[in-house]
Amino acid sequence: MSSRDTVYFISDAHFGIGTKSPDYRVELFKDLTAQMCERATDLFIVGDLFDFWIEYRFAIRPDYFPILHELRRLVEAGVKVHYLAGNHDFAFGPFLKKTIGISIYNDTLQLELQGRKVHLCHGDGILRHDVSYRISKIFLRNKLLQKLYKIIHPDIGVAFGIYCSKSHRKYSELRRTPEIIEKYRRAARKRMKQKACDLVVFGHTHYGEIHKFDEGEYCNTGAWMNHYNYAVLRDGNIELKSFLTDKQ
């Protein structure tokens, strides 16, 4: 199949995190982007593509170069790439937009795709009881505080960011319970009623699923980091996939 008729969604790759086989994750991502170059109209990154992203004026992490190259390759192939901020990659500057050529969104996004009214959000901080993160999010996304942080030399600032990112990820993993997953489903359904949409796409939980309601469908894109999940929308139908399964 070579015609462009597919919208792709991916989240929570956390590139930059130390894993047993980081190069393998990158190589699989390259295989996926090669597929997108042939099939995709759009790619929506639903947060946390990178494990820690803060944009210095004259410094980009070298281990991010292969991923940035793939994103640029998609843009050059005519794929519209959209990037929604997550809780690990919120400190955007002009580089991704001006140099790579992708669209940046700092919070939520609502639009129509293939006849579906779609609401997208990374999913961090949407639960009412998550008070500590909702408060910290205000400070983390403050542009003045981000500028002050960048005064720190990148070698120190990035290392400290990686440490904090690792601590936060461990805390989040401990709280990923069936009760929390069910709360995300209810939050998605609430958005369908409030936003007059029939497809809600979240990331963040690392638990990939498609859940049907009378009002529409909820898709969580899971995690590319360890399950190689992504979702596709074709002819108005949403499907959750695993790239490892696709390659078998």
Side-chain angles (χ1 to χ4, degrees):
M1 181 173 124
S2 59
S3 60
R4 293 180 181 274
D5 62 355
T6 307
V7 177
Y8 287 75
F9 305 87
I10 191 171
S11 73
D12 299 278
H14 292 274
F15 288 118
I17 181 180
T19 64
K20 293 181 179 179
S21 56
D23 292 338
Y24 181 62
R25 293 188 303 127
V26 172
E27 290 305 313
L28 284 182
F29 185 73
K30 290 180 179 180
D31 290 344
L32 179 62
T33 56
Q35 179 188 114
M36 291 184 199
C37 284
E38 296 294 326
R39 304 180 182 181
T41 59
D42 299 80
L43 165 64
F44 289 88
I45 301 166
V46 195
D48 287 359
L49 183 71
F50 298 106
D51 194 58
F52 176 70
W53 177 275
I54 185 164
E55 195 169 307
Y56 290 89
R57 187 177 178 187
F58 297 114
I60 299 294
R61 283 179 57 173
D63 55 336
Y64 288 168
F65 285 5
I67 305 304
L68 294 170
H69 172 75
E70 291 304 306
L71 296 179
R72 179 62 184 172
R73 187 162 71 102
L74 286 173
V75 172
E76 291 176 342
V79 180
K80 298 176 182 177
V81 181
H82 315 262
Y83 199 145
L84 283 80
N87 55 305
H88 287 260
D89 51 6
F90 50 83
F92 294 131
F95 175 79
L96 291 173
K97 182 177 181 179
K98 292 185 177 180
T99 304
I100 305 300
I102 65 183
S103 300
I104 298 295
Y105 307 91
N106 288 317
D107 199 358
T108 62
L109 178 62
Q110 185 148 330
L111 72 169
E112 186 169 321
L113 294 169
Q114 299 181 3
R116 303 290 299 269
K117 293 180 180 178
V118 185
H119 178 84
L120 298 104
C121 174
H122 179 61
D124 52 317
I126 66 173
L127 301 184
R128 286 188 176 183
H129 73 271
D130 201 356
V131 178
S132 61
Y133 180 74
R134 291 163 75 96
I135 294 173
S136 66
K137 186 175 180 178
I138 297 173
F139 291 95
L140 290 171
R141 300 203 180 192
N142 183 280
K143 295 298 183 183
L144 176 59
L145 294 178
Q146 290 178 12
K147 287 181 179 179
L148 291 174
Y149 188 87
K150 292 177 186 178
I151 295 174
I152 303 171
H153 190 281
D155 287 354
I156 299 172
V158 171
F160 181 70
I162 291 172
Y163 171 79
C164 293
S165 180
K166 182 179 180 180
S167 299
H168 182 269
R169 188 169 52 254
K170 286 183 177 179
Y171 170 72
S172 299
E173 288 171 355
L174 291 173
R175 299 175 64 253
R176 197 169 297 123
T177 63
E179 291 77 17
I180 294 295
I181 299 302
E182 180 59 32
K183 287 181 179 180
Y184 271 88
R185 293 171 185 160
R186 292 201 293 266
R189 190 175 193 181
K190 183 177 180 180
R191 275 163 171 71
M192 292 176 197
K193 296 176 180 179
Q194 291 178 335
K195 307 292 185 180
C197 56
D198 56 62
L199 176 58
V200 172
V201 181
F202 290 156
H204 188 57
T205 68
H206 293 203
Y207 182 81
E209 65 170 337
I210 293 178
H211 199 85
K212 295 181 182 294
F213 299 101
D214 292 339
E215 297 84 354
E217 294 176 287
Y218 161 53
C219 173
N220 192 293
T221 47
W224 182 267
M225 180 177 69
N226 44 21
H227 301 299
Y228 305 101
N229 293 134
Y230 66 103
V232 295
L233 182 69
R234 187 181 298 118
D235 295 327
N237 298 311
I238 189 75
E239 182 181 1
L240 183 68
K241 302 173 77 67
S242 169
F243 197 68
L244 283 181
T245 303
D246 294 346
K247 290 178 70 66
Q248 291 177 354

